[in-house]
C-alpha cells in the first residue's frame, strides 16, 4: 500500500493523513480540500431530494463495479455536475456537462477503494450549487485485478436503448486500468489506461459531455435517461487516455447496419 | 455453534457414566473447548467423517466470510491410499489447516504426498501453509498458479489474522504441479482423477474423482444449501453444471453443504438458480436497464431456497451484468 500512500501524499502536497483509512466514519478532511479546490467557499444546498438525488448501495455488490445512480428533476437546469469519491486515490470520478435536453438519470459503475463518502455537486444554470452525499463500505476496488473474463475488442461500444428511446445504456469495452492494479503475470503495476472523455449527442446536439477518470470501472458503463424520447440518432464518442483514439457508435448506424445489409457481391442471399 | 458430531456424542455419553455431581465440573471446560474450536476433536484435530472407505470429510459451517468462524466454512478433507495421503482443500486459515493435519495424523501415519486445491478462494487454500513441512506436491488447475499470484497480496492484507503472524506472502502457497485438462494421481492402489475446468465458479476450478469409491469432490462447482457465489463466468458455470450432470457417481462432496449421493438433484437446484440469474440479467440488459434495477428485479423468487441469499445474490447479479453486457 505504500505506493498508494505516496501517490496520495504527492497529490495532496502534505495532506497525507487523510489518505489513511478510518474504520468508523468516512474521513471528511479530504472533502474540505476538494470543496475548496473546486468551489471555494460558495454555499451549497443540501436537502431537496426532488431536485437531485444520489443512490449507491451502502454495501456494494462489487467494490470494482459499484452501481451509482444520479436522479435530476426534469426542470433542474443543471449546467455541470461532478461526482466525487472522497477516499479514492483519484477522488474526482467524473465531470458531466449537460446540453439542452434534460437528463433525468445517470447510471455509472465506479471503483470504491475503501469506506468513503460519495458525492455529487451540481452547478445550476442560473447559478448556485447543490450537493448530495452518501457513504459506501468497500475495500480494494481500485486495486482489484482485471476481471477473469477480460478480453474482447478494445473500444467496442454496445448501445442498448430503453423503452420508447427514453434511455440509452452505453457499454465501452476497455480495461480502464486504474494504475493501482497488479499484472498477475509479471507482478508489476499496470499503468493507468482509461477512457478520459465521453461525449453523447442526440439529434446532432450535445446531450452529455463527460470527463472521466480511473475511478470508473473496467468496461465503462454509462446509462442516461430522460423524461422524453432522446432525439435520434444518439451517438457516442469515447476518447482513450493513452492513445487519444476515438471510439464511436451510433444508434442510427446500429439500426442501419441491421436494416441495410448490402447484398453479397455474388448476388446470392 | 455447537454441532454434536458422532464422536462428540460418544464423549457426552461417557460423561453420563460419571457421578452426577461431577458433570457440571467436567462439562463446563469441555463445552468451552468445543465452542472455541468449533467442530474440533480431541488434541486440536478437526472433526472428520469417513463417508466412504478412506474418504474423510470435514463439514464447513454455512457462515458468511466476515464473521467469527469464517475460516471454517468450506468442506475439506483427505483420501488415504496404501502408499500416501492426498489432502483436498485446507480451510480458511493456517489454524484450520493444522487441525486438518492433526485429523490426518489421528488416522494414518502414511506421508501426505499431495495437497490439492479445488480453486483460489481463501476458505479452501489458506491452510496450505500447515502442510509445508510434509513437503507434499501442491496440485491445482494450471490457471490456479496465476490466480494465486493475483490474489496473494489481497489475502495477506485482508486475511492477515488467518495466517501466522506476521502474515507473509510466502504463507499463501500456490501449486507446483499443474493440471492442464486431466491428471491421475496414485496414492497406492488408489487412483484419483483430477479434472481442470474452463472458467465457471472461478477461473481455476478443479474436481477430484476417487475411482475406488466413486466419490466426486466438486469443489465450489457445486453449492448445496448455501447460495452459489459467482466469481468466474455465469455462462461457463452453467456449461460446467451440464457436464457434471452427465456423471454417475456414488457420492458427491460439494464445496459447501451436505455431501450427497444425489448429485443430479443438487446440480438441478443449482442450475435453476444460475439459469434464473442468466435469463433475468439478459432480460434487464435487453431492456437497457441499469445494474441497480437488475439487482432489484432479478432472481428474487429463488430467495427462499438458499442460505445467505441477501449476502451473496446482489454481487452475483452485478457479476452477471458485467459479463453478459458483452455476450455475442
Amino acid at each position: 500500500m505504500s505506493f498508494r500512500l505516496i501517490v496520495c501524499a504527492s497529490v495532496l502536497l502534505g495532506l497525507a493523513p487523510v489518505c489513511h483509512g478510518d474504520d468508523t466514519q468516512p474521513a471528511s478532511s479530504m472533502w474540505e480540500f476538494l470543496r475548496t479546490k473546486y468551489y471555494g467557499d460558495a454555499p451549497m444546498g443540501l436537502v431537496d431530494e426532488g431536485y437531485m438525488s444520489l443512490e449507491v448501495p451502502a454495501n456494494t455488490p462489487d467494490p470494482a463495479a459499484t452501481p451509482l445512480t444520479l436522479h435530476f428533476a426534469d426542470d433542474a437546469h443543471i449546467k455541470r455536475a461532478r461526482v466525487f469519491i472522497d477516499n479514492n486515490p483519484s477522488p474526482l470520478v467524473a465531470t458531466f456537462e449537460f446540453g439542452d435536453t434534460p437528463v433525468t438519470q445517470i447510471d455509472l459503475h465506479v471503483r470504491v477503494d475503501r469506506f468513503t463518502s460519495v458525492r455529487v455537486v451540481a452547478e445550476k444554470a442560473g447559478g448556485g450549487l447543490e450537493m448530495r452525499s452518501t457513504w459506501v463500505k468497500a475495500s480494494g476496488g481500485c486495486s482489484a485485478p482485471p476481471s477473469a473474463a477480460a478480453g474482447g475488442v478494445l473500444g467496442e461500444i454496445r448501445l442498448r436503448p430503453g423503452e420508447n428511446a427514453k434511455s440509452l445504456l452505453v457499454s465501452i469495452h476497455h480495461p480502464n486500468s486504474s494504475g493501482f492494479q497488479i499484472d498477475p503475470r509479471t507482478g508489476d503495476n499496470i499503468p493507468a489506461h482509461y477512457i478520459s472523455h465521453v461525449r453523447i449527442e442526440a439529434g446532432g446536439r450535445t446531450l452529455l459531455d463527460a470527463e472521466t477518470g480511473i475511478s470508473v470501472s473496467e468496461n465503462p458503463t454509462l446509462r442516461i435517461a430522460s423524461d422524453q424520447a432522446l432525439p435520434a440518432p444518439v451517438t457516442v464518442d469515447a476518447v482513450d487516455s493513452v492513445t487519444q483514439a476515438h471510439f464511436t457508435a451510433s444508434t442510427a448506424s446500429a439500426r442501419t447496419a441491421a436494416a441495410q445489409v448490402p447484398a453479397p457481391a455474388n448476388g446470392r442471399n | 455453534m455447537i454441532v454434536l458430531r458422532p464422536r462428540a456424542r460418544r464423549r457426552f455419553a461417557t460423561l453420563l457414566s460419571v457421578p452426577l455431581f461431577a458433570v457440571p465440573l467436567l462439562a463446563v471446560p469441555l463445552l468451552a473447548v468445543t465452542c472455541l474450536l468449533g467442530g474440533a476433536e480431541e488434541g486440536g484435530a478437526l472433526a472428520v467423517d469417513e463417508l466412504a472407505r478412506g474418504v474423510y470429510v470435514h463439514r464447513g459451517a454455512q457462515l458468511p466470510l466476515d464473521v467469527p468462524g469464517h475460516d471454517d466454512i468450506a468442506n475439506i478433507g483427505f483420501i488415504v491410499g496404501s502408499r500416501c495421503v492426498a489432502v483436498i482443500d485446507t480451510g480458511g486459515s493456517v489454524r484450520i489447516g493444522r487441525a486438518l493435519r492433526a485429523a490426518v495424523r489421528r488416522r494414518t501415519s502414511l506421508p501426505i504426498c499431495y495437497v490439492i486445491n479445488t480453486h483460489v478462494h481463501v476458505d479452501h487454500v489458506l491452510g496450505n501453509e500447515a502442510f509445508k513441512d510434509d513437503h507434499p506436491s501442491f496440485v491445482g488447475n494450471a490457471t490456479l498458479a496465476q490466480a494465486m499470484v493475483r490474489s496473494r497480496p489481497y489475502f495477506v492484507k485482508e486475511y492477515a489474522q488467518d495466517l501466522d503472524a506476521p502474515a507473509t506472502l510466502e504463507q499463501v502457497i500456490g501449486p507446483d504441479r499443474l493440471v492442464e485438462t486431466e491428471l491421475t494421481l496414485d496414492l497406492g492402489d488408489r487412483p484419483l482423477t483430477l479434472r481442470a475446468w474452463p472458467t465457471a465458479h472461478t477461473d481455476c476450478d478443479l474436481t477430484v474423482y476417487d475411482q475406488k469409491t466413486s466419490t466426486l469432490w466438486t469443489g465450489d462447482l457445486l453449492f448445496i444449501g448455501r447460495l452459489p457465489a459467482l466469481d468466474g463466468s455465469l455462462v461457463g458455470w452453467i456449461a460446467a453444471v451440464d457436464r457434471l450432470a452427465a456423471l454417475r457417481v456414488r457420492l458427491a462432496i460439494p464445496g459447501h453443504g451436505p455431501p450427497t449421493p444425489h448429485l443430479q438433484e443438487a446440480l438441478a437446484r443449482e442450475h435453476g438458480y444460475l439459469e434464473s440469474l442468466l435469463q433475468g440479467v439478459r432480460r434487464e440488459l435487453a431492456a437497457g436497464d441499469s445494474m441497480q434495477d437488475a439487482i432489484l428485479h432479478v432472481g428474487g423468487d429463488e430467495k427462499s431456497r438458499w442460505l445467505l441469499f441477501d449476502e451473496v445474490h446482489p454481487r452475483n447479479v452485478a457479476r452477471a451484468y458485467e459479463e453478459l453486457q458483452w455476450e455475442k
Side-chain angles (χ1 to χ4, degrees):
Chain A
M1 284 307 101
S2 60
F3 176 70
R4 184 173 309 165
L5 286 176
I6 290 163
V7 171
C8 286
S10 62
V11 167
L12 293 170
L13 304 166
L15 293 174
V18 300
C19 282
H20 292 288
D22 182 322
D23 290 340
T24 54
Q25 196 87 46
S28 61
S29 44
M30 171 57 97
W31 175 237
E32 294 309 316
F33 171 81
L34 293 167
R35 185 199 155 106
T36 306
K37 176 176 172 185
Y38 289 98
Y39 304 105
D41 55 5
M44 289 182 178
L46 299 171
V47 286
D48 184 359
E49 290 289 317
Y51 178 80
M52 174 172 83
S53 67
L54 166 67
E55 271 177 63
V56 190
N59 285 303
T60 174
D62 184 353
T66 299
L68 177 154
T69 305
L70 306 173
H71 293 279
F72 307 103
D74 57 355
D75 59 352
H77 300 297
I78 292 168
K79 185 175 69 176
R80 181 187 295 125
R82 289 192 180 95
V83 175
F84 299 94
I85 299 177
D86 288 11
N87 290 340
N88 268 11
S90 174
L92 179 59
V93 176
T95 305
F96 298 112
E97 312 249 358
F98 298 91
D100 299 331
T101 306
V103 171
T104 54
Q105 186 176 332
I106 297 178
D107 290 279
L108 186 67
H109 300 175
V110 296
R111 302 176 183 275
V112 182
D113 212 41
R114 56 203 170 84
F115 195 24
T116 184
S117 287
V118 179
R119 305 164 194 277
V120 56
V121 178
E123 298 170 41
K124 299 181 187 182
L129 299 172
E130 286 286 330
M131 179 175 83
R132 303 290 177 268
S133 68
T134 182
W135 51 269
V136 182
K137 274 185 178 167
S139 120
C142 292
S143 55
S147 86
V153 182
L154 183 84
E156 179 187 355
I157 298 178
R158 298 278 179 100
L159 301 180
R160 293 182 173 90
E163 199 178 351
N164 301 324
K166 284 182 181 175
S167 70
L168 184 70
L169 174 61
V170 181
S171 312
I172 306 170
H173 214 305
H174 196 284
N176 233 59
S177 306
S178 66
F180 296 92
Q181 298 158 286
I182 304 289
D183 184 335
R185 289 161 301 178
T186 62
D188 296 334
N189 257 71
I190 302 169
H193 179 199
Y194 54 95
I195 295 293
S196 56
H197 198 116
V198 181
R199 183 179 176 80
I200 303 177
E201 291 186 358
R205 307 182 66 173
T206 301
L207 183 67
L208 188 73
D209 198 89
E211 275 180 49
T212 48
I214 62 162
S215 291
V216 173
S217 303
E218 179 180 307
N219 296 333
T221 302
L222 181 68
R223 182 178 177 278
I224 42 167
S226 176
D227 271 5
Q228 56 201 68
L230 302 173
V234 184
T235 61
V236 176
D237 180 328
V239 181
D240 184 295
S241 69
V242 173
T243 64
Q244 300 300 313
H246 286 252
F247 308 118
T248 59
S250 166
T251 52
S253 62
R255 207 170 298 133
T256 50
Q260 305 173 1
V261 179
N266 62 10
R268 281 189 296 151
N269 283 331
Chain B
M1 192 175 76
I2 303 170
V3 180
L4 287 184
R5 294 164 201 286
R7 200 164 282 270
R9 265 187 230 117
R10 277 205 293 281
R11 212 158 43 198
F12 276 79
T14 315
L15 276 176
L16 293 177
S17 66
V18 302
L20 271 179
F21 67 86
V23 168
L25 295 174
L26 285 171
V28 167
L30 189 62
L31 276 174
V33 167
T34 314
C35 288
L36 275 175
L37 296 179
E41 299 180 339
E42 305 89 88
L46 213 54
V48 293
D49 294 316
E50 188 174 7
L51 295 184
R53 184 177 291 228
V55 176
Y56 296 87
V57 179
H58 170 73
R59 283 280 312 279
Q62 302 280 41
L63 292 172
L65 258 176
D66 57 356
V67 300
H70 69 270
D71 58 340
D72 185 16
I73 63 171
N75 293 335
I76 60 179
F78 53 96
I79 298 176
V80 182
S82 66
R83 183 174 64 82
C84 67
V85 179
V87 170
I88 302 175
D89 285 340
T90 56
S93 67
V94 179
R95 182 181 74 90
I96 291 294
R98 290 207 177 96
L100 177 62
R101 188 179 180 282
V104 174
R105 282 292 155 257
R106 282 173 54 81
R107 289 178 177 70
T108 174
S109 55
L110 289 172
I112 296 167
C113 49
Y114 301 108
V115 171
I116 302 167
N117 290 125
T118 59
H119 62 291
V120 72
H121 286 161
V122 273
D123 48 330
H124 299 260
V125 304
L126 285 193
N128 284 6
E129 166 75 7
F131 297 90
K132 190 181 57 182
D133 293 341
D134 293 299
H135 303 292
S137 193
F138 289 87
V139 190
N141 187 322
T143 54
L144 178 66
Q146 210 176 82
M148 284 293 234
V149 172
R150 197 172 61 206
S151 308
R152 205 170 265 136
Y154 179 76
F155 290 173
V156 169
K157 179 170 168 251
E158 300 294 330
Y159 295 90
Q161 77 280 10
D162 297 323
L163 298 167
D164 283 339
T168 57
L169 295 171
E170 290 69 35
Q171 290 178 49
V172 185
I173 301 173
D176 53 62
R177 185 140 183 205
L178 304 178
V179 184
E180 296 285 347
T181 52
E182 210 173 273
L183 174 71
T184 300
L185 301 173
D186 190 5
L187 310 180
D189 194 26
R190 186 129 209 177
L192 303 182
T193 308
L194 280 55
R195 187 194 278 187
W197 293 77
T199 302
H201 164 65
T202 64
D203 67 348
C204 51
D205 299 309
L206 180 90
T207 53
V208 181
Y209 180 65
D210 174 41
Q211 297 179 17
K212 200 159 182 179
T213 61
S214 184
T215 299
L216 178 72
W217 296 66
T218 65
D220 280 5
L221 287 177
L222 176 61
F223 283 65
I224 297 180
R226 182 192 186 99
L227 191 74
L230 174 62
D231 196 23
S233 157
L234 179 56
V235 172
W237 199 348
I238 290 172
V241 166
D242 288 341
R243 279 177 64 191
L244 283 168
L247 303 178
R248 294 291 173 270
V249 303
R250 210 171 288 158
L251 177 68
I253 299 165
H256 299 270
T260 178
H262 308 295
L263 174 64
Q264 274 67 26
E265 218 171 90
L267 285 169
R269 182 164 275 229
E270 179 171 88
H271 191 278
Y273 172 72
L274 297 176
E275 190 67 28
S276 84
L277 190 58
L278 179 77
Q279 298 307 335
V281 172
R282 274 183 181 158
R283 216 164 31 238
E284 292 291 311
L285 281 168
D289 283 348
S290 69
M291 181 191 281
Q292 303 246 51
D293 280 336
I295 289 170
L296 285 174
H297 299 157
V298 173
D301 46 350
E302 286 275 333
K303 178 169 170 155
S304 61
R305 298 184 191 169
W306 300 97
L307 300 170
L308 298 169
F309 187 88
D310 291 336
E311 287 84 347
V312 179
H313 180 67
R315 181 180 163 84
N316 285 347
V317 177
R319 298 302 293 254
Y321 189 98
E322 290 160 42
E323 174 187 347
L324 300 176
Q325 274 183 92
W326 301 101
E327 265 194 314
K328 292 298 171 203

